[in-house]
Amino acid sequence: MKKVTVSAFAKRKAAGEKIVMCTAYDAPFAKAALDAGIDMMLVGDSVGTTHLGYSSTLPVTMEDMIRHTQAARRGAPEAFLVGDMPFMSYQTCIEDGIRNAGRLIKEAGADAVKLEGGAEYAELTRRLVKSGIPVMGHIGLMPQSFQVLGGYKVQGRGDDGVAGLIADAKALESAGAFAIVLECVPEMAAKAVTEALSVPTVGIGCGRYCSGQIQVLHDLLGLLDFQPKHAGRYAEVGAIAREALKQYCEDVKAGTFPAEQNIFHD
C-alpha cells in the first residue's frame, strides 16, 4: 500500500472525495482500521477516557501519547497517523510545543500532530510547519478546554459564533495547517467553515458538509456504554465481549474448559 501524504487530503477535498478518519490507540485496532480502508487515524488524547480510566483527557501525558502512538504505528506501518498533543504539552510556550511535537514525530512515529485551539496557536502552527512537522488544527468544542467552555457544549452558534470559527480556521490555514477538525458545531456553521477554506475539514458532530468525518473507535464499535448523539454505532463489540467472558467463566467453573483440543499430551 502506498503511503498517503498531507497533499493528498487537499486534493481529495478539491475532487469532492470524502475523507474517512477514526481514532486508534493500539496495534490490533490500528491494523484493523488500515485493513478496512480508513484514510487517516488519530491517536487521540481520548485514550485517557477510552483506555486509561480517566474522566477527561486532561491527565493524559506526553509519555502516554508516545506509547500509544508507537503501538498504533507498529500495527499499521503504512497508515497516515496523527498524534494528539496532550493538555499542557504546548500551551506554556512555543518552544515546549515544538519540542513535544518533535517527540511525537521522532520517537513515536506520527506523520503529523493535532493541536486544539484557533488563532492563538497560529504562530505555533507556523513554527511547527516551518520545522517540518505537519499540523492538523482543532476548533469548535475542544475537550481540553471544557472547564473554560462550561462543559461539553455545541460551539459556533449564531452569526458571531460562525464568524469566530471562520476566523480561527483561516488563521490556522494561513499558518500552514493541512486540515482542521471541527467538533460539535451546528451543521450550517460547519458548512460555512468548510466552504471558506481550501484545506479540508474533518467533522465530529458537525453534520454532513465537512470534507470528511472522524469518530472515536470505541463509539463506532460499541466498546463503551455511553453513546454520544453524534456517534454512529456500527457494532456492539462490548456486549459480545461481555457475553464471551461470561461463557468462559461458566465453562471453567463447569469443568468444560479446557477441553481435549486445548490440552498437551506426552
Side-chain angles (χ1 to χ4, degrees):
M1 176 183 293
K2 185 178 180 181
K3 189 160 184 175
V4 177
T5 62
V6 291
S7 61
F9 297 113
K11 291 177 182 176
R12 290 191 186 186
K13 177 181 179 177
E17 299 174 5
K18 292 289 189 180
I19 297 164
V20 186
M21 190 174 183
C22 73
T23 62
Y25 313 100
D26 55 30
F29 277 120
K31 183 180 186 305
L34 182 68
D35 291 345
I38 298 293
D39 296 315
M40 178 166 35
M41 288 176 238
L42 171 68
V43 185
D45 61 357
S46 49
V47 68
T49 54
T50 60
H51 275 68
L52 302 179
Y54 298 130
S55 61
S56 76
T57 64
L58 300 187
V60 176
T61 66
M62 275 302 301
E63 271 33 69
D64 293 329
M65 292 308 307
I66 287 170
R67 188 174 302 111
H68 284 276
T69 304
Q70 288 171 335
R73 172 56 74 208
R74 287 191 289 268
E78 305 89 355
F80 189 92
L81 205 61
V82 181
D84 237 342
M85 294 284 284
F87 182 59
M88 296 310 293
S89 66
Y90 62 97
Q91 288 92 340
T92 49
C93 64
I94 286 177
E95 288 71 24
D96 281 352
I98 294 172
R99 185 181 307 110
N100 287 318
R103 292 189 68 195
L104 278 174
I105 301 294
K106 190 170 182 177
E107 296 178 39
D111 296 297
V113 300
K114 181 173 75 63
L115 309 175
E116 291 186 15
E120 67 272 24
Y121 292 109
E123 182 56 30
L124 173 58
T125 298
R126 187 175 292 107
R127 291 278 299 276
L128 287 172
V129 173
K130 189 175 180 180
S131 299
I133 299 174
V135 176
M136 171 177 271
H138 182 155
I139 59 176
L141 173 60
M142 295 174 287
Q144 292 178 13
S145 302
F146 78 94
Q147 292 174 314
V148 174
L149 297 174
Y152 298 97
K153 299 178 180 179
V154 173
Q155 302 295 308
R157 295 187 186 275
D159 292 343
D160 289 345
V162 175
L165 287 173
I166 291 174
D168 280 334
K170 281 184 167 291
L172 293 171
E173 179 183 51
S174 295
F178 73 91
I180 295 174
V181 169
L182 292 175
E183 182 167 356
C184 289
V185 168
E187 183 176 66
M188 297 313 293
K191 185 175 186 288
V193 174
T194 301
E195 291 175 349
L197 302 177
S198 59
V199 299
T201 58
V202 184
I204 176 168
C206 294
R208 297 160 287 184
Y209 298 107
C210 290
S211 312
Q213 298 290 329
I214 179 170
Q215 289 284 296
V216 173
L217 181 78
H218 289 55
D219 294 337
L220 287 172
L221 300 182
L223 289 165
L224 301 176
D225 291 334
F226 174 70
Q227 182 178 359
K229 178 179 179 178
H230 61 71
R233 183 158 288 188
Y234 287 82
E236 294 293 346
V237 176
I240 293 170
R242 286 189 290 272
E243 186 57 36
L245 290 167
K246 179 181 176 183
Q247 188 62 55
Y248 166 63
C249 289
E250 292 175 357
D251 288 351
V252 170
K253 290 176 180 178
T256 57
F257 179 86
E260 180 59 33
Q261 65 267 27
N262 309 116
I263 298 168
F264 299 99
H265 296 287
D266 292 335

